[in-house]
Amino acid sequence: MKILCAVFEASSMAMQLLLSPPPCSSVSVPPRPSLPTAIVVPTSPLLSSSSAIASPILIGRRLCVVGAFWAVVIRPGILLASAGEEDIDELREQEDRVVHLFEEATKSVVCIKDVEVLRKTGIQDVKVEGIGSGFIWDRFGHIVTNYHVVAKLANDRSGNHQSQVVLLGLDGKSITKEAQLIGIDPAYDLAVLKINAPENMLQPVPIGLSKSLKVGQNCYAIGNPYGYEHTLTSGVVSGLGREIPSPIGKLINGAIQTDAAINAGNSGGPLLDSFGHVIGVNTATFTRRGSGMSSGVNFAIPIDLVHQIIPHLIVESTVYSGRP
């Protein structure tokens, strides 16, 4: 805006310079001969001989000055201001796309709480022992997450452990549902939960492809780091085809590396592309020793692998022999 004001001010000054009448005293003109008394000649300043001679010379010079001023100052200023406005518009469009992506995708993301039921005489209480993330897989209430998020429930023999799923209702408020463990695959750090909820509350997240990913693509993680529900972080695909360990020590091949922040509580949440499609399940991060903070080297299980395993966990409640 300051650039445009300066350009318009300079343009106004240049036009004043061009249109102002030339001073007659600056050019000497030989005296004209006296006329007969019978002839009357108009003496308007605009038609005086001094103006007739001085104007073409001075206006020509001023036109040169104005032309140079336009080329050097005004035109670059206008182009710069125009370029600045285009950059601002592009930035706003990018921000609007990310805002829309989050508003749509976050409806499919849930918070998973691992709770222990404490039973005392006549009193029942719950203790939250861990928090993770997950996302809605279908309208039947199936939730995809990491195995390590629900490992305590999977290995519980006392019946004291439960999984509570917190999802967004139609009015945008959080609703808590008790979840049933349907299937697990510890070797690939995947698990499926199921909740009973009205179909119109269940918005499955669109499934993308991971085989076509390129290093440098934008990506976004939505989850519940440290219990802060529906947190969005962004980054790029930093690497492909990585190997990461599963909870039972087996290597998971083809993992996606990203610098989108993934912290405790993000596990099991979706990694999204720029179109809001799931390209991976956030599962691991390298932390700085003793800090507990993410180092920016984070990993997700590729969605192509997830898509092979999850249907079998839903139907058979266990792993299948044809998996990679």
Side-chain angles (χ1 to χ4, degrees):
M1 193 66 182
K2 291 182 179 179
I3 294 176
L4 284 175
C5 291
V7 169
F8 290 142
E9 184 178 349
S11 178
S12 176
M13 292 174 60
M15 292 303 298
Q16 290 178 5
L17 177 65
L18 175 61
L19 297 177
S20 59
C24 295
S25 60
S26 60
V27 178
S28 59
V29 181
R32 70 187 164 180
S34 60
L35 296 175
T37 57
I39 301 175
V40 178
V41 179
T43 58
S44 168
L46 295 176
L47 297 178
S48 63
S49 61
S50 61
S51 294
I53 296 174
S55 294
I57 298 174
L58 291 180
I59 290 177
R61 290 177 179 174
R62 290 175 179 179
L63 282 173
C64 292
V65 172
V66 170
F69 193 75
W70 166 266
V72 175
V73 178
I74 299 178
R75 186 172 181 274
I78 293 175
L79 293 177
L80 181 60
S82 176
E85 290 179 355
E86 289 177 1
D87 290 342
I88 292 173
D89 291 341
E90 183 178 354
L91 178 60
R92 285 174 179 164
E93 288 178 4
Q94 292 175 353
E95 288 181 340
D96 289 343
R97 284 196 296 268
V98 175
V99 169
H100 178 72
L101 179 151
F102 172 77
E103 290 176 345
E104 289 300 311
T106 199
K107 301 172 186 176
S108 305
V109 180
V110 302
C111 177
I112 300 174
K113 297 181 179 180
D114 175 36
V115 300
E116 182 182 4
V117 179
L118 304 175
R119 293 182 174 89
K120 298 180 182 180
T121 305
I123 300 176
Q124 180 173 309
D125 199 2
V126 294
K127 175 185 176 183
V128 178
E129 294 199 340
I131 293 179
S133 302
F135 57 91
I136 299 172
W137 182 261
D138 56 31
R139 293 194 180 273
F140 297 103
H142 292 110
I143 308 291
V144 172
T145 187
N146 285 139
Y147 164 76
H148 73 261
V149 172
V150 296
K152 289 184 179 180
L153 175 63
N155 296 296
D156 179 44
R157 297 294 179 265
S158 65
N160 292 331
H161 276 272
Q162 296 178 357
S163 271
Q164 294 180 350
V165 171
V166 183
L167 68 159
L168 290 178
L170 297 176
D171 57 359
K173 296 181 180 179
S174 297
I175 299 175
T176 301
K177 297 283 186 179
E178 186 174 340
Q180 176 187 358
L181 183 61
I182 296 298
I184 59 172
D185 189 346
Y188 284 91
D189 201 11
L190 291 172
V192 177
L193 298 171
K194 189 177 188 300
I195 60 173
N196 292 320
E199 188 175 319
N200 59 357
M201 283 181 54
L202 301 171
Q203 180 172 312
V205 64
I207 304 299
L209 294 172
S210 53
K211 66 180 180 181
S212 58
L213 290 176
K214 303 291 184 183
V215 172
Q217 285 184 231
N218 291 332
C219 58
Y220 306 87
I222 301 179
N224 311 287
Y226 304 109
Y228 291 101
E229 298 179 8
H230 298 279
T231 296
L232 171 72
T233 58
S234 62
V236 298
V237 175
S238 306
L240 297 167
R242 305 305 196 206
E243 291 184 342
I244 58 175
S246 72
I248 62 173
K250 183 185 182 300
L251 289 179
I252 302 174
N253 298 314
I256 302 166
Q257 180 184 335
T258 177
D259 64 347
I262 296 175
N263 293 288
N266 274 113
S267 293
L271 185 69
L272 307 166
D273 63 13
S274 296
F275 301 98
H277 299 161
V278 179
I279 56 175
V281 178
N282 300 321
T283 188
T285 182
F286 286 158
T287 59
R288 297 183 177 91
R289 186 182 299 275
S291 69
M293 298 174 59
S294 172
S295 62
V297 181
N298 311 302
F299 300 97
I301 303 169
I303 195 62
D304 293 350
L305 176 60
V306 175
H307 200 268
Q308 293 180 40
I309 295 174
I310 295 303
H312 290 270
L313 295 183
I314 292 174
V315 174
E316 303 171 10
S317 300
T318 185
V319 299
Y320 72 107
S321 59
R323 65 183 180 173

